[in-house]
Every structure is written in C-alpha cells, then in structure tokens.
Amino acid sequence: MSFRGIWVALATPFRSGEIDFPALRNLVNKLAAEGVAGFVVCGTTGEAAALSHAEQLAVLDAVLQQVPGQQVIMGLAGNNLRELLAFQQEIQQRPIAGLLTPAPYYIRPSQQSIEAFFNTVADAASVPLVVYDIPYRTGVRIERETLRRIVRHPNIKAIKDCGGDAETTMTLIADGDVEVLAGEDLYIFNNLCLGGHGAISASAHIRADLYVQMQQQVESGQLGAARHTFYRLMPWMQAAFAEPNPAAVKAALALQGLITPELREPMQSCSAATVERLRTVLAALEE
C-alpha cells in the first residue's frame, strides 16, 4: 500500500448538533471526483475528540459506502492504551487502507514510552500505520532519532509530518523507511520538491484539483508550473487556518453551499470578519 498523493483530512459536517450524513457523502463524492488520493476520517479536522466511538465508526462506515477502502485512513488517538487497542480492533474489522495515530496526548510520555506505544499499536495493526507527528497538539515532541527507530517497524508505512523541523523531514525522506506526507499545508510544495510523497491536508477541501495538479507538476518535473500553482493556493492556505481548525475550512465549505459551518462545542464557528476574508480569498482563487 502506497500513501502517495493528496489525502484530504476530512471534516465531519454537523447539523443541529448531529452528524450530517447526506452532506458528508456529498462532500466525499465531490473531492473524490477532483482526484484526491483518499481521505483521513476522524482526525483533527474531523473533530474526532468531540465524537463518541460509535459516532466515529458511523462516519467511517458512511465514507466507506462512497469510496473503496484503499482510499480511507482512519484516525486512532488516545492516551488510554487499553481502550485504544480495543477501538483499533473494532476499526480493523472494516476494509481500510491504514490508521493515523499520534503520540499519546496530555500525559507527556518519555521518548522510551512513545517508542513503546507506537510499537504496541503497530504490533496490533492489521493495516499499515501512519505516524502523526504533531507536538503542538499532543504536548510532546518525538525526537528525531526516536522517530527514525519508530518508522522502521514493518507495519509503519508513512508519517504525517507536522513536527516543524526541516532537518527531521529531510532525514526521514533521505532514510527512505517511510513515505513522508506533509501535514502543514504551507509546506506541501517544499515536501514534494524534497522528495516527499504528498500530503494529508485540511485546506485541500477547497480546489482539491489544484492540489492534485501541483503534486503532478512536481512529479513530472514542471517545477515552475508547480510553484505557480502553490502561490495561487497560498492565500487560501493561510486563511484556512486563521482560526482554530476546522472552523475556517467549514466556513469556506459553507460559503460554497456544501455543509453548514457548525462545529461541536467547545469549538466555535468563525467570526464574521474571518468569513468575509474567506469570501474574498475564495473569489480570488476562482479567477
């Protein structure tokens, strides 16, 4: 299984406090038609922390009704290892491409504990594992040498790189033990040019076709054209994270009539000022 390409970190639409399954299915169909490699379900952008396990599985099942399992990665996060492993077994009853797993959040484990955690989850995996390196959400940094050891596990096939350390990114790409996917959208172009394999992107909800085009341009050696595509997308990428994710992404999708801008509390929808900024940026992107 290769995770090369542009994967969308899928938002979970809500309506009146409940999951909006018709909107979810329409959104998946639209993005699939625009050529994305696949979808990450119930990650950060999917507001998984605000969903029960039953709701997460319902979202996963709805997406699997729309696209083949090889196009679906499921988020798997937690700091209670026993509960996480039990949920992993439930998820793995579905035909999915992989699992996206961050280090345990809040408890700030040692490097040795982090390595043991990923080895345990990978040992229990019947599908490939994608390591989610995102220290500003978990509260703990995975050091470079720890990461290099972790990704040598035979069940770990990729990393979503949100670590913010260019040298670690380049080291992982050069090592060649895993596929390196950009997790910070403004670094997608850099990642591709350095030899990375693609991205797991929240902002790719909007004009996914241009993200796919940028990747294809880099891979075919059209760096000038790819750079132009990136700079065309950049104002939107910046606006997409003007407020805590996925508020701006949902607001942009709402402006396009695809979903409501609703988030689960304690998350709040975008301010009116941000919505107006998004309206301007989206209009420019279509010119």
Side-chain angles (χ1 to χ4, degrees):
M1 175 68 202
S2 173
F3 295 102
R4 181 179 295 277
I6 303 298
W7 293 73
V8 177
L10 190 64
T12 304
F14 297 116
R15 185 179 292 273
S16 301
E18 300 300 324
I19 298 164
D20 186 346
F21 287 103
L24 176 65
R25 288 188 283 268
N26 289 339
L27 183 59
V28 169
N29 290 341
K30 174 185 180 293
L31 292 165
E34 293 181 3
V36 300
F39 303 90
V40 174
V41 178
C42 294
T44 305
T45 306
E47 297 175 74
L51 299 173
S52 69
H53 281 179
E55 286 177 316
Q56 291 183 46
L57 291 175
V59 171
L60 174 59
D61 289 339
V63 174
L64 287 171
Q65 289 173 4
Q66 305 305 120
V67 294
Q70 64 262 31
Q71 289 185 268
V72 180
I73 298 170
M74 179 65 173
L76 175 68
N79 52 22
N80 181 321
L81 185 57
R82 183 177 297 180
E83 286 187 1
L84 184 139
L85 292 172
F87 191 42
Q88 180 180 3
Q89 294 308 310
E90 285 192 77
I91 294 168
Q92 289 177 167
Q93 294 173 20
R94 278 82 171 163
I96 59 173
L99 294 163
L100 177 70
T101 304
Y105 52 82
Y106 184 73
I107 58 176
R108 297 177 61 84
S110 68
Q111 295 299 298
Q112 182 180 358
S113 297
I114 293 169
E115 188 172 350
F117 167 83
F118 278 107
N119 284 335
T120 300
V121 177
D123 285 343
S126 60
V127 295
L129 205 66
V130 181
V131 172
Y132 188 4
D133 183 22
I134 185 160
Y136 58 82
R137 285 192 181 273
T138 62
V140 64
R141 175 171 294 280
I142 311 176
E143 301 296 342
R144 185 179 307 142
E145 292 308 312
T146 306
L147 262 180
R148 294 177 81 186
R149 290 192 299 273
I150 287 170
V151 300
R152 294 186 188 118
H153 192 289
N155 287 346
I156 295 177
K157 302 299 183 185
I159 181 168
K160 179 180 179 182
D161 178 23
C162 299
D165 186 315
E167 190 172 346
T168 296
T169 301
M170 290 185 284
T171 299
L172 292 169
I173 292 171
D175 284 348
D177 291 319
V178 287
E179 296 180 338
V180 180
L181 304 172
E184 297 293 328
D185 292 24
L186 285 170
Y187 291 96
I188 295 174
F189 178 70
N190 301 34
N191 173 281
L192 292 169
C193 289
L194 287 166
H197 291 75
I200 296 175
S201 166
S203 67
H205 279 90
I206 303 294
R207 292 306 306 265
D209 59 315
L210 292 180
Y211 288 76
V212 174
Q213 173 182 293
M214 176 173 59
Q215 187 217 355
Q216 292 173 343
Q217 287 168 333
V218 172
E219 290 197 344
S220 62
Q222 303 174 65
L223 294 185
R227 189 181 305 113
H228 176 78
T229 304
F230 171 71
Y231 281 119
R232 182 178 173 188
L233 285 166
M234 190 171 76
W236 154 240
M237 290 179 175
Q238 293 169 322
F241 301 100
E243 296 195 25
N245 187 47
V249 167
K250 282 192 161 182
L253 290 169
L255 287 171
Q256 296 188 338
L258 293 166
I259 67 172
T260 74
E262 185 178 328
L263 286 83
R264 276 239 172 124
E265 292 184 339
M267 297 290 285
Q268 298 289 312
S269 298
C270 279
S271 67
T274 297
V275 172
E276 285 310 305
R277 176 185 174 188
L278 290 170
R279 197 186 306 275
T280 300
V281 168
L282 295 179
L285 187 57
E286 296 301 325
E287 290 177 356

